[in-house]
Amino acid sequence: MKCKQLLVKGKAKSVYSTDDRHKLVIEFRDDITAFDGGKKDVLKNKGNYNAEVSAFFFEYLEQNGIRTHFFTMVDPHHMVVRKLEMIPLEVIVRNIAAGSLVRNYPFREGAPLNPPLVVIDYKDDARHDPMLNDEIIVALKLATPAELKKIKKMALEVNRLLSSLLSDHGITLVDFKMEFGRQGKTIYLGDEISMDSMRLWDKKTGESLDKDVYRFEKGDVMAIYNRVVQRITGPVMNK
Ligand code: ADP
Ligand code: CDP
């Protein structure tokens, strides 16, 4: 599948049209950003690591009944996906209190959240992705009440499936972000699920295995991403 025209250049990925009007190619670049783009770098192989983990997760989710945009990989950093009308929501599922939840509310870092929380932010960099509620989402016509219900149900099911998979590899899924889109009336999981969009803690040591290593300069980010890819896509260790 050949890339035709660059449609969108985001902070970490580029989206291209193809000869098939229903398909796009997403290029996972080596750019990494944090703090609303305030911290930026180019880290060799980052795109490949995130693409490999995303593709692995999308295939696993499809096998377990979740509709995703994923078709196939063209090479280690180009993914063919279904073209979606993206819904500008950042749908975050949280199993353990961390990050902005602890900064903005009186949760203790590391406190389990049972049942998991679904938190939805408005995907709008200029407004710093403010948190939404159902009424605002519907009033802004970002999604219908039925779509919102479906998105939350899918988000919790993806969380259940990924938490279980990662746990088998000795990793706790603390929280993660998803983006959804529609084709006709059908809602699909889009974008990526990778170390850039998840918070992962080693079950034994509590060590960060995700973008927090970059955000807070906790170590050699690419060495950790590389190790996490091997762990996630490799044989189960903790069954
Ligand atoms: P951002 O800077 O917005 O965080 P990225 O660098 O991740 O974005 O670029 C990826 C872009 O591709 C985002 O705008 C995302 O919403 C969009 N996207 C992801 N999956 C699809 C899809 N299946 N169809 C259309 N657009 C998509
Ligand atoms: O990471 P930060 O504390 O700024 O934000 P958060 O609200 O605690 O993020 C929750 C989860 O969503 C983390 O796993 C983030 O990596 C992810 N996220 C993301 O991928 N993209 C965003 N724009 C915001 C959050």
Side-chain angles (χ1 to χ4, degrees), residues 10-13 15 24 26 69 81-82 84 86 123 179 191:
K11 295 190 290 294
K13 303 195 287 304
V15 181
L24 299 173
I26 297 187
H69 67 162
V81 301
R82 184 184 299 272
L84 300 177
M86 293 305 286
K123 186 173 162 67
E179 292 182 30
D191 204 50

Side-chain angles (χ1 to χ4, degrees), residues 90 94 99-100 103 129 175 177 196-199 215:
E90 306 216 324
R94 299 177 173 278
S100 66
R103 287 199 304 276
D129 301 339
D175 55 38
K177 184 265 300 179
D196 275 11
S197 61
M198 297 185 284
R199 196 167 267 125
R215 288 189 188 98

Side-chain angles (χ1 to χ4, degrees), residues 6-195:
L6 176 66
L7 300 178
V8 180
K9 184 168 182 187
K11 295 190 290 294
K13 303 195 287 304
S14 301
V15 181
Y16 295 89
S17 61
T18 68
D19 292 330
D20 182 335
R21 68 192 177 90
H22 298 299
K23 290 182 179 169
L24 299 173
V25 167
I26 297 187
E27 176 192 2
F28 286 68
R29 305 195 315 270
D30 286 345
D31 300 277
I32 187 163
T33 69
F35 308 120
D36 264 344
K39 183 172 160 82
K40 279 188 210 172
D41 282 284
V42 179
L43 301 177
K44 192 165 159 31
N45 289 328
K46 194 216 68 152
N48 299 4
Y49 296 143
N50 281 349
E52 187 175 349
V53 163
S54 285
F56 182 81
F57 284 155
F58 285 139
E59 278 181 339
Y60 162 76
L61 292 170
E62 284 281 353
Q63 283 159 12
N64 286 280
I66 302 288
R67 288 200 170 101
T68 81
H69 67 162
F70 179 74
F71 286 121
T72 186
M73 295 303 297
V74 185
D75 64 36
H77 57 278
H78 287 94
M79 180 184 285
V80 182
V81 301
R82 184 184 299 272
K83 181 177 184 172
L84 300 177
E85 180 195 343
M86 293 305 286
I87 302 173
L89 302 177
E90 306 216 324
V91 181
I92 296 163
V93 182
R94 299 177 173 278
N95 296 302
I96 291 182
S100 66
L101 196 69
V102 172
R103 287 199 304 276
N104 298 333
Y105 304 92
F107 285 102
R108 179 179 52 79
E109 167 131 45
L113 301 164
N114 201 2
L117 307 186
V118 180
V119 175
I120 305 186
D121 293 345
Y122 186 29
K123 186 173 162 67
D124 186 334
D125 283 341
R127 292 186 165 81
H128 309 292
D129 301 339
M131 192 190 288
L132 295 166
N133 68 18
D134 292 12
E135 283 82 356
I136 299 176
I137 292 170
V138 173
L140 284 173
K141 297 192 167 50
L142 302 176
T144 66
E147 284 176 334
L148 196 51
K149 192 171 164 198
K150 172 81 184 167
I151 286 170
K152 287 187 190 173
K153 191 170 168 214
M154 282 175 79
L156 286 170
E157 181 61 5
V158 172
N159 179 54
R160 192 185 66 74
L161 290 164
L162 292 186
S163 294
S164 155
L165 177 94
L166 288 162
S167 173
D168 288 345
H169 293 273
I171 297 171
T172 303
L173 179 56
V174 174
D175 55 38
F176 69 112
K177 184 265 300 179
M178 282 160 279
E179 292 182 30
F180 292 87
R182 48 176 95 78
Q183 192 190 49
K185 286 193 167 21
T186 308
I187 300 282
Y188 291 86
L189 174 62
D191 204 50
E192 69 177 295
I193 302 183
S194 72
M195 288 69 76

